[in-house]
Amino acid sequence: MKLDPFYLIVDSAAWIGRLAPLGVKLVQLRIKDMGEDRLRAEIRKAKALCAEHQSQLIVNDHWRLAIEEGCDFVHLGQEDLQTADRARIRAAGVRLGLSTHDHVELETAMFAEPDYIALGPIYPTILKKMKWAPQGLERIGEWKCRVAPIPLVAIGGLNPDRLDGAFEAGADSAAVVTDITLNDDPEARTREWIEKTDQWR
């Protein structure tokens, strides 16, 4: 499986409607703390928008709703992996991405036979407080040797100026949240990411 090198992560279908038309081909819907009815509506809207713009939707955490809504890709953190029904996910034909932050988590993730592995944070990040120190570029290379041929996603503190280093170290895709969503001009920043990652497609 090949992932687009530009992996956008947003917290609403509205963001997808705003940025997918620019050429985003891989987007994760990552919503925390929302009631099931509203969450289902967001997933449904996100799925329709991604279909309209030929973009791959990945639903974060909410694998049951993803299956019920006919989505074909979910991403789980380590805690969610412990309680997820992997057999049901696979039976539904849903692909699976998993987060890792250290060697123990990598072993756990590889046992689950995911479709991609994410490593982070590569650099300091403001998205959320983490107990893990920045991994750095060398860790990308180490992880790539461990997970290949499974795609490796780098996440955490990335921006266009840091992308060459991440890809040259072995990342197949670079995930971004705040560098775009907190930017003064998210559309312009999205175009910059698309242009910068084009050579890795």
Side-chain angles (χ1 to χ4, degrees):
M1 186 188 72
K2 180 175 175 58
L3 293 177
D4 193 87
F6 172 37
Y7 185 155
L8 177 65
I9 301 177
V10 294
D11 62 2
S12 71
W15 272 116
I16 297 176
R18 186 173 170 181
L19 300 179
L22 304 178
V24 176
K25 295 305 177 187
L26 180 63
V27 59
Q28 181 188 125
L29 182 66
R30 181 182 184 273
I31 299 177
K32 306 290 185 180
D33 304 319
M34 181 180 285
E36 183 172 320
D37 288 345
R38 285 182 59 209
L39 181 59
R40 185 184 297 275
E42 283 288 302
I43 291 173
R44 193 169 292 175
K45 184 176 180 182
K47 183 187 175 194
L49 286 165
C50 284
E52 179 183 351
H53 297 288
Q54 294 81 51
S55 181
Q56 173 64 58
L57 174 66
I58 300 177
V59 177
N60 182 273
D61 292 350
H62 306 288
W63 60 271
R64 291 181 184 87
L65 284 177
I67 291 173
E68 291 171 11
E69 292 302 318
C71 300
D72 60 5
F73 219 134
V74 298
H75 180 95
L76 299 177
Q78 292 279 321
E79 290 183 6
D80 296 290
L81 176 62
Q82 302 306 316
T83 58
D85 187 339
R86 295 204 313 274
R88 184 178 166 194
I89 292 171
R90 292 303 187 192
V94 176
R95 288 174 289 176
L96 177 64
L98 297 175
S99 295
T100 65
H101 305 88
D102 58 35
H103 290 88
V104 172
E105 290 189 352
L106 179 59
E107 292 295 332
T108 300
M110 292 299 288
F111 182 77
E113 299 181 334
D115 293 282
Y116 75 77
I117 292 282
L119 170 67
I122 305 304
Y123 294 97
T125 176
I126 62 173
L127 178 60
K128 57 184 177 179
K129 188 171 183 179
M130 289 191 170
K131 65 182 180 180
W132 297 278
Q135 306 280 354
L137 297 179
E138 286 188 10
R139 183 62 61 87
I140 293 177
E142 178 188 350
W143 249 234
K144 183 60 178 178
C145 289
R146 298 279 298 277
V147 308
I150 298 171
L152 177 64
V153 177
I155 184 172
L158 295 174
N159 59 45
D161 292 335
R162 291 171 167 171
L163 290 178
D164 285 347
F167 286 115
E168 289 166 2
D172 298 289
S173 184
V176 55
V177 187
T178 58
D179 187 65
I180 286 177
T181 60
L182 295 184
N183 194 278
D184 290 338
D185 189 341
E187 285 82 2
R189 194 63 157 179
T190 296
R191 292 188 185 95
E192 187 176 354
W193 270 77
I194 291 172
E195 181 179 352
K196 185 70 175 182
T197 53
D198 188 57
Q199 63 179 305
W200 305 101
R201 285 187 172 82

